[in-house]
Amino acid sequence: VHIYDKILYNKIGGIIMKIYKSRPFSLIYNAVIYLFGVVAVLVIAWVVSSGNAKISIGVAAVVFLLMLFSFISQMKMKIIVEGNTVTFITKKETSKYNIDECGFSSKIINHDDMNLTVTDGTKTEYYDCSFLGYTKYMELLEDLKITGENQKTVKLETKK
């Protein structure tokens, strides 16, 4: 068990709850990427504004604040898998889903950009799970029955 995750067990040794939180390495990695983004925006603003320092710094400051907000949101996000339910806790809201009644889809780009889509009836939510890191994200997919031994069966029908 990693120090940043919690796994609660019942008396007979079965897992009853898993809590996924941000991984320190992933947060540091994203912070570095964000800083490079701010520097790139600063340089581009400097070139576009013909060397006007006030405009360049102002644009870079706005981008920095937006990235800081995104970074803080990633730090506060938690995903809790408990039995057949999954709960996403973000800075703004808490959403709870029944794993067997929802549709999940996953998109992974370069092992560092991981997005999960949850469809519950007519409601679709998108979650950026990059803060988990690749290994924990794959573990989450298995807990959600998207991959692994407990994977949901998919029935395909063809149109005639």
Side-chain angles (χ1 to χ4, degrees), residues 22-34:
S22 55
R23 314 293 294 169
F25 178 78
S26 296
L27 288 174
I28 292 168
Y29 176 80
N30 285 338
V32 169
I33 296 297
Y34 288 167

Side-chain angles (χ1 to χ4, degrees), residues 4-111:
Y4 298 98
D5 297 319
K6 284 187 180 176
I7 300 177
L8 302 176
Y9 298 91
N10 62 17
K11 290 183 179 180
I12 56 173
I15 297 174
I16 57 171
M17 181 190 306
K18 276 184 154 180
I19 301 173
Y20 293 93
K21 293 183 179 182
S22 55
R23 314 293 294 169
F25 178 78
S26 296
L27 288 174
I28 292 168
Y29 176 80
N30 285 338
V32 169
I33 296 297
Y34 288 167
L35 288 176
F36 277 118
V38 170
V39 170
V41 167
L42 180 64
V43 169
I44 292 169
W46 180 266
V47 170
V48 170
S49 69
S50 302
N52 187 330
K54 288 182 182 179
I55 292 174
S56 302
I57 292 172
V59 169
V62 168
V63 171
F64 175 78
L65 290 175
L66 291 172
M67 290 185 174
L68 183 63
F69 175 74
S70 173
F71 185 76
I72 290 170
S73 295
Q74 283 185 348
M75 284 177 51
K76 294 189 180 278
M77 186 171 175
K78 283 195 290 188
I79 302 170
I80 301 171
V81 178
E82 183 175 11
N84 263 0
T85 62
V86 60
T87 305
F88 293 88
I89 301 171
T90 62
K91 189 176 179 186
K92 295 180 182 178
E93 65 182 57
T94 299
S95 301
K96 197 171 200 172
Y97 304 98
N98 184 320
I99 294 172
D100 293 328
E101 295 176 4
C102 290
F104 297 97
S105 64
S106 172
K107 182 177 180 183
I108 302 173
I109 302 171
N110 295 331
H111 287 234

Side-chain angles (χ1 to χ4, degrees), residues 26 108 110-112 114 130 132-139:
S26 296
I108 302 173
N110 295 331
H111 287 234
D112 62 357
M114 291 151 279
S130 302
L132 289 176
Y134 181 77
T135 305
K136 286 294 174 183
Y137 182 68
M138 295 307 291
E139 195 175 302

